[in-house]
Amino acid sequence: MSRSTPRKKSSANISPRISITALCALLVFGGMARSDTQTPYYQLIYDYEVASFCGLVRAPVHTSYKRKRAGLEAETDLSIVTLTKIRIGAMADAEREYINRGLGGHKPWCRSDGAAGVQRILAE
């Protein structure tokens, strides 16, 4: 009997409103050019992913995240494809950073970046 570690399941869905064909076209034709990491949308997704990796997402964090994400998506003039590209970039950057921390290295990262991300998500 083999034991496997379950993989983190993200609540930041890649795209609930985009078709697989459009996503493939984005990946093939649009490339995965680095999205603007300074946008509030990118920062929100990145913070949520880091908090998720660190096990810091509880109901208030998730609720605030969903509300802020919906608000940012509603007030932007960016297309669904662009939002998806930003979201994928933020999620990939968070995972890449988690992997770069190595064994045990994620603990200080969670205490600093993870906790700060949760505070930003919860801030009004």
Side-chain angles (χ1 to χ4, degrees):
M1 177 187 261
S2 69
R3 292 181 59 190
S4 65
T5 305
R7 218 173 129 74
K8 175 196 128 318
K9 293 180 183 173
S10 174
S11 293
N13 296 330
I14 290 175
S15 179
R17 298 180 302 215
I18 191 168
S19 71
I20 296 299
T21 305
L23 183 57
C24 289
L26 170 71
L27 295 174
V28 172
F29 299 111
M32 286 307 294
R34 188 128 171 107
S35 61
D36 185 2
T37 61
Q38 300 305 311
T39 64
Y41 189 72
Y42 174 95
Q43 191 61 50
L44 177 68
I45 302 297
Y46 181 85
D47 284 344
Y48 187 81
E49 286 299 301
V50 171
S52 183
F53 276 117
C54 295
L56 301 174
V57 174
R58 303 289 184 270
V61 175
H62 183 70
T63 301
S64 183
Y65 162 77
K66 282 178 53 177
R67 181 181 45 76
K68 285 184 173 186
R69 180 176 163 187
L72 289 170
E73 288 174 347
E75 69 187 29
T76 189
D77 58 348
L78 298 174
S79 69
I80 291 174
V81 172
T82 302
L83 288 172
T84 300
K85 193 175 200 178
I86 292 170
R87 198 164 40 255
I88 291 170
M91 294 167 71
D93 287 350
E95 183 160 359
R96 200 172 9 261
E97 188 62 29
Y98 177 77
I99 291 168
N100 286 339
R101 295 295 169 158
L103 295 175
H106 69 282
K107 291 178 183 176
W109 179 59
C110 289
R111 284 192 298 269
S112 61
D113 294 18
V118 166
Q119 292 306 313
R120 283 189 294 271
I121 291 169
L122 292 174
E124 292 301 315

